[in-house]
Amino acid sequence: MNMKKQFFIYMLLVAALTACQQSPRVAVGELRCEGLDDPMGIDFAPRLSWQLESEARNVFQTGYHILVASTAEKLQAGEADLWDSGPVESDKSVNVRFGGNVTPRATYFWKVKAVTTLGETPWSKPAKWTAGLITSFEWKAQWTGLDASYPGDVLEGKTRLAARYFRKEFKVEPKRIEKATLYISGLGLYECTVNGNRLSNQTLSPTPTDYSKVVKYNTFDVTGIITGEHNAIGVALGNGRFFSMRQTGVRHFGFPKMILQLEIIYADGAVQTIMSDTSWKVTANGPIRSNNEFDGEEYDARMEMPGWDTAGFDDSAWEQAQAVEPPGGTLEGQVNPNIARMDFVRPAAIKELSPGTFIMDMGQNMVGRVAMQVQGAAGQEVKLRFAETLKDDGSLYLDNIRGALVTDKYTLSGKGLESWEPVFTYHGFRYVEISGYPGTPTVENFSGQVVYDQMEITGSFETSDATINQIYRNAYWGIRGNYRGMPTDCPQRDERMGWLGDRAVGSLGESFIFDNNNLYAKWLDDIEQAQREDGAVPDVAPNYWSVYTDNMTWPGAYIIIADMLYRQYDNIEPIAKHYASMKKWLHYMRDNYLKDGIMTKDTYGDWCMPPELPELIHSKDPARKTDGAVLSTTFYYRLLRLMEGFAGLLGKPDDVREFAGEADNIRQAFYDKYFNKEGAYFSNNTVTANLLALCYGMVPQEYVDKVFKNIVDKTLGEFNGHVSTGLVGIQWLMRGLSFYGRPDIAYRIATNRTYPSWGYMAEKGATTIWELWNGDTADPGMNSHNHVMLLGDLIVWYYENLAGIRNDPSGTGFKRIEMKPNAVEGLEWVNASYESVYGRIESSWKKEGGGFAWDITIPANSAALVYLPMEFGTVIRESGQEISAVKEIRSIGEVYGHFALEIGSGTYKFSVQDK
Ligand code: RAM
């Protein structure tokens, strides 16, 4: 057999490898892991992953050999001067710890070969990663800025500044440059050019953090753009979350500032370093007159400074930059992706509303900016305002945008055709009001630039049901529109905060569509940085809003998401890193609020459940609402069980006992206090109360069916087959209904087009997901049309229950896959795929001639437990053959109405028929 044809090995690094834009995780980890227990060898070294690809079935890895070298040539020659793993017997091909030393700035070239059940693979193609600066000692540059305001800056109320422009010229020696690396952080936001060249397509960088704790820096390979003797660096600074958008209520860190270090290594080994310091020049008199993320950007093209970021520009009118106080936070290489222009939208239509005022419809509620082309007289001002919906008279509906001014302004230079897009702001909108545009604007003059975190799309999902497909699309737009280096609640109004509760289970659903591993790992760091000394974890992180209300359902996301990253990505690092802080928080809650086994403190209830009146945001009806202590006690129980598991993973038997014992007590106390034996329900018998108890395993076995029946009765009776939960209950609704045997009800909820439902939102024209089930009628005080919190476990259910692609509950990273689709009545087919860390999993099924046809692909080095639905018959074939004749398949037999099989990698075509 020709091994070359059999295998291709793909290599991925835990840290992204795009040029050297990002430094590997070690830059973060090494600074912070001191003193951490390391029973599993979790020491935050870089992790190496690769994928095996083979057409053959049942391919497993049995060993590997990794070589790491300091140059491509050495690696090619097999000279592993940085690390040679030697032949290792192991099936691990994901997150293998690098065993060598990590040196600041070093580049690591590596390759791997695997031993498999089919034999040995050839060496993979080489890949590389680059280490960051790793410790703050490597930073020689000064924080540089301009701690002063200028005429036009708004320092009170809706705070906005003109952009600050910095420049520095430098000479290089006339000898060959081996490598030039630029490290930068510009707060709140920076745009950096070298010799007038943009360094990447990213925008709104760096990623937002609590700058007093941690500041992220970005790394760029600029070797190719330093070509001549005379060079220049230009940096423009926007406000971002540093000079925040509001004077009060939102955290302010100070005037914008930057740190930059450009390291040039010549071929002869000499090193030249250019650093931010007081030799730089600065001005606030550039074209960006004003910017912030809520209120928009104002640009005066007459004030452009041609050539300001290239050598030879006359900067005599500029000021000398100041050495300023550092922001306080540790500089860390940024591992999570930056934001970039990821997509664009062609406007659907422009209509004149009144003379000179036009309304442009993007056809989609999107997040980002509008790029414009315009021609006219110098000094003419074009104004763009943004909204999600229109009033009856066709004008912008701005009430739900609250205090955000959402206005961009462009003043023409008058020099021919001008193109413009703001850089230091973003909006959430479908409609744009255009005024002051010279002549009549047409759709060709505008384009919507969709900006969000540069993430791989990992999932595809389509079904025979148009409503499900539309909701999936709406969710996709909503999720990506709310990735902003942190998961925000909304993109349009004066909020845009990282609310923890919104993503507790949503993050799991999202992980099927986007590779959000590094983003959520970063967010857990944000949460930890926001933890108070006494142990309290906030409801918002980074804590630009200070919201410490002590409840279980919002901060609980800290623990739930760490578990998600472990399950979905086989990433144990967050658990190891945050374990101590999580435990501290649970102890804090226990010590302050646990009374007789009941967690008494709650803040939000089952947030935004469908209210009894269309104009209400929150229900006032005690019979519909779930008692806060029920929510917090069930969550506390669930979190204790997760911690029990984490403690086991980390080798802490005393903690396992502590959490397990506490959990047992809580379950008993909860049962004693809230369970009504006669009626078999908890508390006031809401779907949420019963569902949480059931899904968290708090219901004694003999009552499980009866409690579930109450959920079914309530849903079908009082709520007529509709959802009755808010943000909390919805986290388990779809999976709960399916798991306990009523996927048909879940399907009904998923396809409803009447209120309340996701389909109702679509029916009313939504192209994203609303904050409120009644977003069309409720008070605008809190009524975003692009919020993902009410998705709950819907996307999880799409992938796990409809497509049947689920990580085996006892394993991690889809090494073992559980495939068990619900072929519910009404649904004819599903086509789905998911790019797991082992490779691509595919599941496409359809009902056909009374039978069931199902095509499955499993990546090499993983395996699946496949459940074929027997309601379609008892004759099971694979590619036309009786399965008993297919040697690669292991039949397990009938399990609860399914025929269970075990398969390894490869592609399979199953059918289930009567004969
Ligand atoms: C509002 C939003 C947000 C939610 C908080 C509690 O600001 O709905 O998503 O988490 O309230």
Side-chain angles (χ1 to χ4, degrees), residues 53-326:
E53 202 174 79
S54 167
E55 307 258 292
R57 286 183 174 173
N58 281 340
V59 179
F60 292 98
Q61 180 185 293
T62 55
Y64 64 80
H65 190 165
I66 298 170
L67 299 183
V68 186
S70 56
T71 65
E73 295 72 33
K74 283 186 181 163
L75 187 70
Q76 166 81 23
E79 203 185 313
D81 57 337
L82 297 182
W83 188 49
D84 183 340
S85 72
V88 180
E89 260 183 52
S90 166
D91 67 349
K92 209 167 161 48
S93 55
V94 167
N95 292 329
V96 172
R97 184 183 165 279
F98 168 61
N101 292 325
V102 179
T103 320
R105 305 178 179 80
T107 304
Y108 297 79
F109 297 85
W110 71 290
K111 61 184 179 182
V112 62
K113 97 175 148 188
V115 184
T116 77
T117 41
L118 276 188
E120 201 174 279
T121 71
W123 285 105
S124 68
K125 279 198 205 133
K128 65 173 179 176
W129 82 90
T130 309
L133 292 176
I134 308 204
T135 70
S136 38
F137 303 112
E138 305 294 335
W139 277 98
K140 307 282 182 239
Q142 283 177 342
W143 279 97
T144 303
L146 190 64
D147 273 346
S149 64
Y150 282 77
D153 286 349
V154 182
L155 302 177
E156 281 180 14
K158 300 185 176 178
T159 37
R160 284 209 266 183
L161 303 177
R164 273 57 173 146
Y165 296 82
F166 296 78
R167 70 183 304 276
K168 167 80 182 173
E169 291 200 18
F170 63 97
K171 257 171 86 172
V172 295
E173 291 176 37
K175 46 187 186 181
R176 196 168 75 77
I177 293 173
E178 181 76 39
K179 193 174 169 190
T181 311
L182 187 146
Y183 305 91
I184 181 173
S185 189
L187 303 177
L189 303 170
Y190 73 84
E191 289 276 316
C192 179
T193 52
V194 174
N195 296 328
N197 299 295
R198 287 181 58 85
L199 303 184
S200 76
N201 67 343
Q202 69 186 35
T203 181
L204 301 169
S205 318
T207 209
T209 53
D210 172 348
Y211 307 104
S212 71
K213 300 274 173 61
V214 165
V215 172
K216 299 288 187 182
Y217 69 86
N218 301 137
T219 307
F220 299 95
D221 183 346
V222 294
T223 316
I225 48 180
I226 301 178
T227 45
E229 191 185 353
H230 296 279
N231 299 277
I233 306 173
V235 179
L237 295 186
N239 302 351
R241 302 292 174 111
F242 194 78
F243 187 86
S244 82
M245 309 78 103
R246 293 292 176 266
Q247 181 200 19
T248 47
V250 192
R251 251 178 103 181
H252 247 293
F253 293 88
F255 284 106
K257 55 187 68 176
M258 56 166 270
I259 190 163
L260 182 148
Q261 195 159 305
L262 167 60
E263 299 181 351
I264 299 169
I265 302 172
Y266 293 97
D268 63 5
V271 178
Q272 182 185 355
T273 309
I274 319 298
M275 294 175 289
S276 53
D277 57 24
T278 51
S279 70
W280 286 54
K281 298 298 273 301
V282 59
T283 185
N285 283 322
I288 299 179
R289 304 308 314 139
S290 186
N291 75 92
N292 83 21
E293 294 185 9
F294 289 167
D295 304 316
E297 182 166 313
E298 297 180 6
Y299 189 96
D300 188 340
R302 295 169 304 179
M303 297 184 74
E304 281 174 357
M305 309 171 289
W308 73 276
D309 53 357
T310 56
F313 176 80
D314 176 9
D315 61 14
S316 52
W318 290 36
E319 291 173 66
Q320 218 60 47
Q322 301 166 349
V324 292
E325 275 295 305

Side-chain angles (χ1 to χ4, degrees), residues 764-782:
K764 292 286 168 182
T767 54
T768 39
I769 305 293
W770 295 344
E771 180 173 25
L772 304 172
W773 295 112
N774 52 336
D776 55 335
T777 53
D779 187 285
M782 196 193 81

Side-chain angles (χ1 to χ4, degrees), residues 489 493 495 499 502 554 604 607 727 771 782 787 789:
D489 65 333
R493 69 183 180 216
E495 181 159 0
W499 283 95
D502 299 27
W554 262 244
Y604 304 107
W607 190 245
L727 176 154
E771 180 173 25
M782 196 193 81
H787 234 74
M789 67 187 188

Side-chain angles (χ1 to χ4, degrees), residues 47-48 70 131 204 250 316 335 383 395 466 513 731 876 906 908:
R47 316 249 146 195
L48 306 173
S70 56
L204 301 169
V250 192
S316 52
V335 176
K383 194 161 98 177
S395 64
I513 311 180
Q731 295 177 26
I876 296 167
Y908 301 81

